[in-house]
Amino acid sequence: MKIDPIHQFNIEPLFTIGHIGNHTIAFTNSSFYMLLAVAVISVLMLASGRQLVPGRLQSVAEISYEFVASTIRSTAGSEGMKFFPLIFSLFMFICVSNLVGIIPYTFTVSSHLIVTAALALLVFFTVLVYGLYKNGLKFFKIFVPSGVPIYILPLVMFIEILSFFLRPVSHSVRLFANMLAGHIALKVFAGFVGMLGVSLGAIGWLGGVMPLALTVALTALELLVAFLQAYVFAILTCIYLNDAIHPGH
Amino acid sequence: MAESHGEVSGQKAGAHTEADGGHGGGFPPFDSSTFASQLVSLAIAFVALYIIVSRFALPRVGGVIEARQNMIESDLAEAQKLKDESEAALKAYENDLVAARSRAQAISNETREKLNAASEAERKALEDKLAAKLHDAEKTITATRAAAMSNVRGIAADAATAIVQRLTGLAPDGAAVNSAVDASLKG
């Protein structure tokens, strides 16, 4: 029995939708899980009750709402609430995708760099377009920190500009790498359980207890990481948007 | 939003045009043949999610939270109002109590003073009456004493006249006897 920790990331086309140029656009397992995430979020937010004293599902919906709202208020101020739907969508989409991905035999949408990169670039261009639209050329003040001596200003500006354009890279790779590494580690340790059992018989099944325990522990850790990475993605989005709303450090 | 997706798809797809189709060989996240499909599904899914979230989900949940907040605030305001009312009632009661107590105090002071004054007046009247009686009695005593004294003088004069007559056989001069009696009474 061979461990193939990469297999879980395969994109399987289910049926073809159409063609753009010479690219075949297929409905894949990834598409399915994306739509599943959208469906889960919609059910959570729309089918939960509207009681005065909330039940469990309604509590989850309201806690998500208030959690994201308070994150935006604390990092980007009340003006950041303009982007509440965007940040809420990002947070919930990533969080639900990550959490669904922990279930064995499912697919993790956010374990593909192209997806996280698209989301990060969406944030990047939102910041750029909104910053320029709202502040005009004053937006470029974010590259010129105040109180820096004039002789090192060019260097600081260079670093600021570089870091600004590298934001989508770190923003997307952080999420992608966390999901990828976590799932590979889980798969490897889970694979050990079966491999020991097959190759060593009864002793192997006993020996398999260790990696099994580790798999359980890693799953718990992955639950934390799944939520945390969604939160990190959302809070970084808030911080970047704060630059667009209030340029000038 | 959608433009940025399109742009990304254009960039990435343009950079990797070789479409190997199979998934067995490469590392799936870097298999560029799947990028276009993923980007299209992501764009559809995310735009749908954004519309659902911004049009329906957030207003709905936000409305529920706001309604609850309003409810709590109005309940708290109501409770505050009732508390204020009960405090005002308590204060009024305490004021009444204080007023009643001071009125009772005043009445008792007044009564005490009135009684004191009355008893004082009565005492004074009694004392005056007693003093008058005492005075009368003293006067009577003086008069009686004077009468008695004058009687004593008469008796002494008579006795002296009789004694002198018996001893001398002569009736003494009345004036001399009187002066002698006076002198002896004084002495």
Side-chain angles (χ1 to χ4, degrees), chain A residues 48-213:
Chain A
S48 54
R50 22 191 349 160
Q51 261 92 50
L52 189 63
V53 178
R56 288 181 205 172
L57 195 65
Q58 196 188 342
S59 279
V60 173
E62 289 180 5
I63 288 167
S64 321
Y65 180 99
E66 294 193 321
F67 177 71
V68 176
S70 71
T71 303
I72 298 172
R73 277 201 203 93
S74 61
T75 49
S78 53
E79 285 171 76
M81 291 307 281
K82 257 183 230 138
F83 296 101
F84 188 31
L86 174 67
I87 294 167
F88 189 82
S89 303
L90 282 170
F91 174 75
M92 293 304 277
F93 185 73
I94 295 168
C95 194
V96 171
S97 309
N98 291 354
L99 290 173
V100 167
I102 293 173
I103 301 167
Y105 298 106
T106 57
F107 176 82
T108 314
V109 172
S110 46
S111 68
H112 276 254
L113 185 56
I114 188 69
V115 172
T116 63
L119 294 175
L121 282 170
L122 166 66
V123 172
F124 180 79
F125 283 112
T126 306
V127 169
L128 205 60
V129 169
Y130 182 75
L132 285 172
Y133 163 73
K134 177 151 183 281
N135 305 296
L137 292 177
K138 270 192 246 156
F139 175 65
F140 294 109
K141 273 207 286 196
I142 61 166
F143 300 129
V144 189
S146 54
V148 174
I150 193 79
Y151 50 91
I152 60 163
L153 195 59
L155 179 66
V156 172
M157 274 174 67
F158 173 72
I159 294 169
E160 288 279 345
I161 291 169
L162 195 66
S163 75
F164 182 80
F165 285 100
L166 284 177
R167 272 174 185 182
V169 177
S170 62
H171 205 186
S172 57
V173 170
R174 181 180 298 110
L175 174 59
F176 156 69
N178 266 288
M179 288 302 114
L180 187 81
H183 281 82
I184 290 176
L186 263 181
K187 190 79 174 183
V188 168
F189 281 108
F192 277 154
V193 182
M195 205 166 71
L196 282 167
V198 169
S199 53
L200 298 175
I203 303 164
W205 288 118
L206 275 173
V209 170
M210 279 290 288
L212 180 63

Side-chain angles (χ1 to χ4, degrees), chain A residues 6 9-13 20 23-26 28 30-31 34-35 38 41-42 45-54 58 61-62 65-66 84-86 88-90 93 109 111-115 118-119 121-122 125 176 180, chain B residues 1-2 4-5 7-9 11-14 16-17 23-24 26-30 32-46 48-50 52-54 56-65 67-68 71:
Chain A
I6 302 302
F9 302 115
N10 275 353
I11 300 278
E12 316 283 358
I20 296 179
H23 295 283
T24 306
I25 308 301
T28 63
S30 176
S31 318
M34 286 173 192
L35 294 181
V38 173
I41 297 164
S42 305
M45 301 306 288
L46 296 175
S48 54
R50 22 191 349 160
Q51 261 92 50
L52 189 63
V53 178
Q58 196 188 342
E62 289 180 5
Y65 180 99
E66 294 193 321
F84 188 31
L86 174 67
F88 189 82
S89 303
L90 282 170
F93 185 73
V109 172
S111 68
H112 276 254
L113 185 56
I114 188 69
V115 172
L119 294 175
L121 282 170
L122 166 66
F125 283 112
F176 156 69
L180 187 81
Chain B
M1 222 177 308
S4 72
H5 288 167
E7 205 166 314
V8 180
S9 104
Q11 281 172 6
K12 302 275 173 173
H16 309 268
T17 36
H23 304 301
F27 184 51
F30 296 144
S32 62
S33 68
T34 65
F35 287 0
S37 298
Q38 287 196 69
L39 285 171
V40 169
S41 356
L42 178 65
I44 293 167
F46 199 76
L49 178 66
Y50 185 87
I52 291 167
V53 161
S54 61
F56 309 108
L58 293 184
R60 183 177 184 276
V61 175
V64 172
I65 291 173
R68 178 181 306 126
M71 183 76 142

